[in-house]
Amino acid sequence: MTKKLLFVCLGNICRSPAAENIMNHLVEKQGLGDRFICDSAGTGGWHVGAPPDRRMRAAAKERGLDFVGSARQFQAMDLREFDLILAMDKDNYCNILALDPQGKFTDKVKMMCDYCETYTDKEVPDPYYGGADGFNYVIDLLFDACGGLLKSFPKN
Ligand code: 4NP
């Protein structure tokens, strides 16, 4: 069965597209491309249609990765459409669940950092207003979390 994963942050130009691209990279590397569909979205709508932030793309490029995508806003329908929704921080988590007043989909919504194996962060820090170090940190953290996330699925 194909699993549909949705990564969610605020603007959908820094953290969640990074998570989507890193997860796709790990999935492809393990030859599991037919097992997962990854997407990302932002709880805010300011950057709809924009590619991943230039600084995030530059940090990715240094590791030989090309981050692609076009920002979109999270919508209530996503709660129905996706099997697992990964929130980058607590605000994202609360804003996602605010669109599910009856709590029907609570079990599908998780914190991305719950899957970390090495890092002890509880949230993926927002790098938007900081320097290049923040973008590099987010990529390292997301490699850890995405690796743990991938291991959380049964092998066959
Ligand atoms: P993201 O980062 O949520 O990781 O995509 C941000 C992008 C844009 C803004 C804030 C955070 N903003 O305020 O426009």
Side-chain angles (χ1 to χ4, degrees):
M1 262 296 277
T2 305
K3 286 279 178 205
K4 292 184 74 177
L5 313 180
L6 182 66
F7 301 92
V8 179
C9 62
L10 177 60
N12 193 210
I13 54 170
C14 298
R15 293 165 293 174
S16 62
E20 176 192 350
N21 279 274
I22 288 167
M23 192 65 184
N24 275 331
H25 171 75
L26 296 179
V27 161
E28 291 299 330
K29 212 168 71 171
Q30 296 199 15
L32 300 172
D34 56 343
R35 296 269 310 275
F36 297 95
I37 292 173
C38 301
D39 192 7
S40 64
T43 57
W46 312 283
H47 300 280
V48 168
D53 187 282
R54 185 170 11 93
R55 297 162 295 171
M56 186 54 91
R57 279 187 282 132
K61 198 90 187 164
E62 282 179 23
R63 295 149 196 256
L65 300 173
D66 266 317
F67 282 0
V68 295
S70 172
R72 72 169 180 89
Q73 189 166 16
F74 183 84
Q75 46 187 327
M77 206 203 306
D78 290 319
L79 286 157
R80 204 176 286 285
E81 291 287 315
F82 286 85
D83 298 305
L84 187 59
I85 297 169
L86 289 315
M88 298 298 129
D89 67 31
K90 290 196 190 94
D91 284 346
N92 310 147
Y93 181 83
C94 292
N95 287 325
I96 292 164
L97 289 186
L99 294 176
D100 178 25
Q102 295 179 355
K104 281 199 284 185
F105 304 109
T106 313
D107 292 350
K108 286 185 180 186
V109 186
K110 309 280 187 211
M111 293 291 288
M112 187 73 207
C113 286
D114 287 355
Y115 294 91
C116 280
E117 296 184 303
T118 304
Y119 284 71
T120 56
D121 299 62
K122 296 292 170 220
E123 304 180 284
V124 182
D126 183 349
Y128 190 71
Y129 293 106
D133 285 359
F135 289 86
N136 285 316
Y137 187 82
V138 166
I139 290 180
D140 289 333
L141 176 59
L142 288 174
F143 260 98
D144 187 37
C146 286
L149 176 60
L150 192 48
K151 282 190 201 163
S152 76
F153 294 99
K155 283 266 179 285
N156 41 49

